[in-house]
Amino acid sequence: MYSSPTSRNKDPPDATIRSISMAPRAKNDFEKNLYKLMNNAVFGKIMENVRNHVDVKLLTKWDGRYGAEVIIAKPNFHSRSVFAENGKKDTKKVKGVKSNVVARTTTFDDYRHCLNKKIEITRRQSCIRSNLHEVYTISESKIALSPYDDKRYVVPDSTETVP
């Protein structure tokens, strides 16, 4: 398993020595496979390239000792992703309705009206389909937003939900 004494880890881990010595004494296929898998797992951890590991930090504030400003100023800083900046960028999702229809026609007020006034909101979308090499278009109306959810309940006088 170890080709030369000049390798990075000069002494093999104890688990490898133990499993190598136990492998010839295995009595059934399960034990043989167990020792083989143990050797492969240890060898894989030894050969793992730790240079490719990435340090990910989730920051919620800009100022201070542990803020984003300090992290960005470090010389080993690589890149950043902003998930939601001051609530300006909201993600609109509607199950079963195409994303371009949601982006063009659904607003945050639609979500609020649906919850507060208990109104179902429908959206019309067009699809191109084919069946047996015959292409056709379908215009379908789908329920986009519904206040009737059997898995979650809306807390009165808020937009919070509970299971």
Side-chain angles (χ1 to χ4, degrees), residues 74-144:
K74 290 184 177 181
N76 63 348
F77 177 75
H78 182 264
S79 65
R80 55 101 180 118
S81 294
V82 178
F83 294 114
E85 190 173 317
N86 298 331
K88 293 178 186 173
K89 188 177 179 183
D90 292 325
T91 304
K92 297 185 286 185
K93 290 187 178 182
V94 177
K95 188 174 180 180
V97 179
K98 294 191 173 205
S99 59
N100 66 339
V101 174
V102 174
R104 282 187 294 113
T105 63
T106 307
T107 63
F108 183 71
D109 290 333
D110 292 335
Y111 288 94
R112 206 169 16 169
H113 289 307
C114 176
L115 283 176
N116 294 338
K117 297 180 181 176
K118 300 202 183 311
I119 300 172
E120 281 189 347
I121 298 174
T122 59
R123 292 290 180 251
R124 181 163 293 286
Q125 65 183 11
S126 297
C127 303
I128 299 174
R129 301 230 175 119
S130 69
N131 188 12
L132 300 174
H133 303 290
E134 190 173 325
V135 180
Y136 55 94
T137 60
I138 295 177
S139 180
E140 54 189 4
S141 181
K142 290 197 166 191
I143 297 174

Side-chain angles (χ1 to χ4, degrees), residues 19-120:
S19 61
I20 289 172
S21 65
M22 295 294 285
R25 292 186 239 159
K27 295 179 178 131
N28 55 28
D29 287 340
F30 172 76
E31 289 179 357
K32 289 177 188 176
N33 288 333
L34 176 69
Y35 295 126
K36 179 181 173 183
L37 290 173
M38 285 174 53
N39 284 333
N40 289 343
V42 172
F43 182 72
K45 290 310 262 182
I46 290 170
M47 300 308 292
E48 187 176 64
N49 189 355
V50 293
R51 288 183 184 174
N52 292 336
H53 288 202
V54 178
D55 186 23
V56 177
K57 293 186 179 182
L58 182 63
L59 304 172
T60 57
K61 60 182 181 174
W62 178 257
D63 297 326
R65 183 175 179 184
Y66 302 107
E69 188 176 23
V70 174
I71 301 296
I72 291 172
K74 290 184 177 181
N76 63 348
F77 177 75
H78 182 264
S79 65
R80 55 101 180 118
S81 294
V82 178
F83 294 114
E85 190 173 317
N86 298 331
K88 293 178 186 173
K89 188 177 179 183
D90 292 325
T91 304
K92 297 185 286 185
K93 290 187 178 182
V94 177
K95 188 174 180 180
V97 179
K98 294 191 173 205
S99 59
N100 66 339
V101 174
V102 174
R104 282 187 294 113
T105 63
T106 307
T107 63
F108 183 71
D109 290 333
D110 292 335
Y111 288 94
R112 206 169 16 169
H113 289 307
C114 176
L115 283 176
N116 294 338
K117 297 180 181 176
K118 300 202 183 311
I119 300 172
E120 281 189 347

